[in-house]
Amino acid sequence: MNWQMLTAIAQLATVLVGIPSLIYFAIQIREQTRERRQSAVNALTVQWGDLTKALHENAEFTALFLRGVQSFHDLDAVSKLRFSAFQNRFFKNFEGMYYSRREGILSGELWDEIERTMREFLAYNGVRQWWETRKHWHSEAFARVVDAIIARGDEPKAYSGYNLDEIVVPQK
């Protein structure tokens, strides 16, 4: 057997041994990616739940929130600060989800759900007014997404059946 034949056989053996390793490696990467995505979705779900606790555990803040979505400008200074702090956390959460989508962690279907939620909130004048005061706290890419949603001019519907004109601040 000549030298060239031995080299060809050695190369063929290397390829045949390497193919199963590559297949195994690809399967491992796919599983890790799936686990990473699920972990990220779980973390975002927990963050969302923690964030919305303020709305269902504190009647005073819930009333403030409902007044704020109607008009950020009409809130007193302390209420503006509280509403703004909540909205900032809310929108930082949305921004994190946006970047998770851009990185391929969130599926298009999940992002569509998030975007629909954002549209619901951004339809309210108070949220839009707040956004104008704090959009510079967010990345330019995310700000463009929010501005595009606002430009749609959706009608506020999320709280349309709540009789927002009759909000009563709970007594302590």
Side-chain angles (χ1 to χ4, degrees):
M1 211 177 267
N2 68 26
W3 179 248
Q4 289 176 336
M5 180 70 101
L6 286 175
T7 301
I9 291 172
Q11 288 174 346
L12 181 61
T14 301
V15 167
L16 292 175
V17 169
I19 288 174
S21 296
L22 286 174
I23 292 170
Y24 175 78
F25 184 66
I27 291 170
Q28 291 298 339
I29 288 176
R30 188 176 68 201
E31 284 301 312
Q32 288 174 355
T33 300
R34 184 179 302 142
E35 289 172 11
R36 188 174 130 237
R37 283 182 180 156
Q38 188 58 50
S39 178
V41 169
N42 291 344
L44 290 169
T45 302
V46 168
Q47 287 173 359
W48 183 261
D50 290 345
L51 178 62
T52 58
K53 271 185 188 179
L55 294 174
H56 62 83
E57 290 184 351
N58 184 324
E60 177 197 0
F61 181 76
T62 302
L64 182 153
F65 176 81
L66 290 172
R67 287 191 324 273
V69 298
Q70 292 176 85
S71 176
F72 178 69
H73 296 316
D74 289 346
L75 296 175
D76 63 84
V78 172
S79 295
K80 279 183 179 177
L81 182 60
R82 291 181 72 197
F83 182 81
S84 186
F86 179 82
Q87 288 297 99
N88 190 54
R89 284 187 63 207
F90 214 43
F91 277 78
K92 284 295 183 183
N93 196 309
F94 285 141
E95 187 171 13
M97 293 176 188
Y98 165 72
Y99 281 104
S100 292
R101 173 62 186 137
R102 272 190 33 181
E103 295 297 319
I105 296 168
L106 284 182
S107 69
E109 182 180 20
L110 285 174
W111 174 249
D112 290 346
E113 178 185 335
I114 293 159
E115 190 174 347
R116 283 191 304 274
T117 304
M118 289 173 60
R119 285 196 317 256
E120 290 278 332
F121 288 110
L122 287 162
Y124 286 89
N125 285 333
V127 178
R128 291 175 180 189
Q129 292 164 357
W130 169 82
W131 176 251
E132 287 306 313
T133 71
R134 295 294 183 263
K135 72 193 278 183
H136 63 281
W137 287 6
H138 298 269
S139 71
E140 289 181 21
F142 179 68
R144 284 191 297 274
V145 169
V146 172
D147 289 341
I149 290 171
I150 290 171
R152 288 171 47 112
D154 291 343
E155 289 295 315
K157 296 176 190 164
Y159 308 114
S160 61
Y162 287 29
N163 238 351
L164 296 178
D165 294 333
E166 298 176 7
I167 296 172
V168 176
V169 178
Q171 300 299 316
K172 291 183 179 180

